[in-house]
Amino acid sequence: MSGGRRRRLSILLLFLSLISLSSFSLVANAAFNLPTISFDQGYTPLFADFNIKLSDDSRSANLLLNRHAGSGFISAKYYDYGFFSAKIKLPGNHTAGVVVAFYTSNGDVWEKNHDELDIEFLGNVKGKPWRFQTNMYGNGSTSRGREERYTLWFDPTVDFHQYSILWTRNNIIFYVDHVPIREITRSEAMRGDYPSKPMSLYATIWDASSWATDGGKYPVKYEFEPFVSEFTDFVLEGCPVDPIEQVSSGSTISASASACSDKKAEMEAKEYSHITPEGRKAMRWFRENYMYYSYCYDTVRYSVPLPECVIVDSERARFKETGRVKFGSVPKRPRRKRGKARKHPKKSNRVENQGQADM
């Protein structure tokens, strides 16, 4: 087969995969049937409330970053496991150095042994796509970063897309538009590295010029301010608890935690807590086409993969020993035919893992 025919076949297969992925997302969306809340029902400003703009009905919130400050909000309650979701539209144009984060944490209660689950969007220079990463910390295990980095199959600045974090006693799943992109299954070997203490949900936009884009090579350009990240369709599913009560109770099961047993079981029975065979196919397609770094394949960093890593041969073949994708292993996007030009759409200061700044 000639190079031209192989390229056309690759483009066709990619196009068919996108259609299949979109169909799966629509079906999953209907199956999740998630109730949404207003901002006022579940959240409160975290910092720089002058840069938080709510809609009249409080169903949407915009976070702004300008030369004065970033901004962020936090859930009003802590949750003993949960499902956290929102539809997000990211800033466009030149976003180098800008980070939009949607994550869970309890660092303000357990400063030295906090838990955290991250979806962090890493801006880029004009004309380059947004990148994002997922990460997990348990019991203060910040020395063992578990980053995976990806691009997207759509432009996240054009429209809203849903991003979700499932966290149960047994597994963690990160979703994009109801497509599972990463699953972590709890094992005894993980010990305290698996997040297990109540967490709040955070959303922030902030200046990460020192590391976010090419290791700090491209800082935020404030001539493009304000950078606006839009949030709507808020979902907070889980059992609210008092973390102070958890701390004071020590090894004793607190009353609020005990009362959560039924809620945990109910959540773990939901469809979003399990990946269907169709979901597995969608996740495999995403990871084989859009994941460009994984700590599980980074043998320079970890000579022995961390215990939760599931080594997939088709994934491993794409990566170097550094966990970075090999040149040419990601299908090229189809080139536009020559002719008449067509118009097209163009945190607070919390501690971030900067060890793998831009890969």
Side-chain angles (χ1 to χ4, degrees):
M1 183 183 294
S2 68
R5 290 185 63 188
R6 280 197 299 270
R7 187 161 49 252
R8 288 193 293 272
L9 178 60
S10 176
I11 292 170
L12 176 61
L13 291 175
L14 189 62
F15 176 71
L16 293 174
S17 296
L18 284 169
I19 293 176
S20 177
L21 192 64
S22 299
S23 300
F24 168 79
S25 182
L26 290 172
V27 172
N29 185 28
F32 281 7
N33 192 26
L34 299 167
T36 62
I37 61 173
S38 68
F39 183 92
D40 292 338
Q41 287 176 305
Y43 298 95
T44 185
L46 176 63
F47 68 102
D49 54 356
F50 57 85
N51 267 349
I52 302 175
K53 310 300 181 184
L54 300 183
S55 61
D56 291 340
D57 60 2
S58 185
R59 305 297 296 188
S60 300
N62 290 354
L63 294 183
L64 279 64
L65 166 67
N66 54 34
R67 66 190 68 227
H68 302 294
S71 54
F73 60 81
I74 182 175
S75 61
K77 298 177 181 178
Y78 287 77
Y79 292 86
D80 194 10
Y81 301 103
F83 186 86
F84 312 97
S85 183
K87 286 186 177 178
I88 305 172
K89 183 179 178 183
L90 298 175
N93 215 327
H94 187 104
T95 55
V98 177
V99 168
V100 176
F102 185 75
Y103 65 102
T104 64
S105 180
N106 48 35
D108 53 346
V109 177
W110 289 278
E111 294 183 6
K112 296 183 179 180
N113 60 336
H114 83 287
D115 304 298
E116 190 169 324
L117 295 170
D118 298 325
I119 298 178
E120 293 177 308
F121 302 97
L122 312 174
N124 217 332
V125 296
K126 188 175 181 179
K128 297 292 185 179
W130 272 83
R131 299 149 301 125
F132 75 108
Q133 70 177 17
T134 60
N135 210 341
M136 177 191 77
Y137 301 113
N139 203 34
S141 58
T142 55
S143 63
R144 294 182 291 281
R146 289 169 156 90
E147 306 98 325
E148 287 188 349
R149 291 198 172 192
Y150 330 84
T151 54
L152 290 160
W153 64 94
F154 54 82
D155 184 343
T157 72
V158 172
D159 204 350
F160 286 93
H161 291 270
Q162 189 156 17
Y163 304 90
S164 310
I165 301 171
L166 167 77
W167 170 49
T168 76
R169 294 171 290 186
N170 307 308
N171 67 332
I172 295 162
I173 304 175
F174 294 92
Y175 286 97
V176 175
D177 279 346
H178 303 88
V179 174
I181 64 167
R182 178 181 182 182
E183 181 180 32
I184 300 166
T185 302
R186 187 174 193 167
S187 69
E188 289 296 325
M190 293 182 70
R191 300 182 180 179
D193 280 8
Y194 190 89
S196 58
K197 299 184 292 294
M199 292 193 277
S200 295
L201 187 281
Y202 293 74
T204 59
I205 184 170
W206 56 291
D207 184 330
S209 293
S210 64
W211 67 273
T213 307
D214 284 356
K217 182 178 179 181
Y218 299 101
V220 175
K221 286 191 174 183
Y222 283 105
E223 56 263 42
F224 295 102
E225 70 173 348
F227 302 94
V228 182
S229 185
E230 304 174 55
F231 294 77
T232 191
D233 286 5
F234 303 107
V235 175
L236 283 176
E237 288 286 315
C239 187
V241 296
D242 181 351
I244 304 302
E245 181 183 331
Q246 295 257 330
V247 172
S248 60
S249 64
S251 59
T252 306
I253 299 176
S254 67
S256 59
S258 177
C260 283
S261 295
D262 291 344
K263 183 65 178 179
K264 292 175 187 176
E266 177 187 336
M267 186 177 65
E268 289 165 4
K270 296 281 189 180
E271 188 158 350
Y272 54 64
S273 294
H274 310 276
I275 303 179
T276 64
E278 292 77 14
R280 294 277 171 202
K281 291 178 182 178
M283 183 166 70
R284 179 177 177 179
W285 179 85
F286 172 83
R287 295 173 67 82
E288 290 182 356
N289 286 279
Y290 294 96
M291 183 168 70
Y292 69 88
Y293 173 80
S294 173
Y295 72 104
C296 286
Y297 303 109
D298 190 341
T299 57
V300 173
R301 228 173 138 194
Y302 302 111
S303 57
V304 177
L306 296 181
E308 73 280 0
C309 287
V310 177
I311 303 303
V312 180
D313 288 341
S314 59
E315 289 181 11
R316 180 170 55 185
R318 300 177 60 245
F319 293 97
K320 304 174 186 177
E321 67 279 1
T322 58
R324 303 181 189 185
V325 73
K326 295 176 181 176
F327 178 77
S329 63
V330 178
K332 292 183 179 180
R333 293 184 181 182
R335 293 183 179 180
R336 185 183 304 162
K337 292 181 179 180
R338 294 187 178 184
K340 187 177 180 180
R342 294 181 296 171
K343 293 183 179 180
H344 65 286
K346 297 219 179 206
K347 147 175 192 196
S348 58
N349 294 325
R350 67 191 187 92
V351 175
E352 302 291 336
N353 187 327
Q354 301 177 14
Q356 301 290 328
D358 188 71
M359 292 169 285

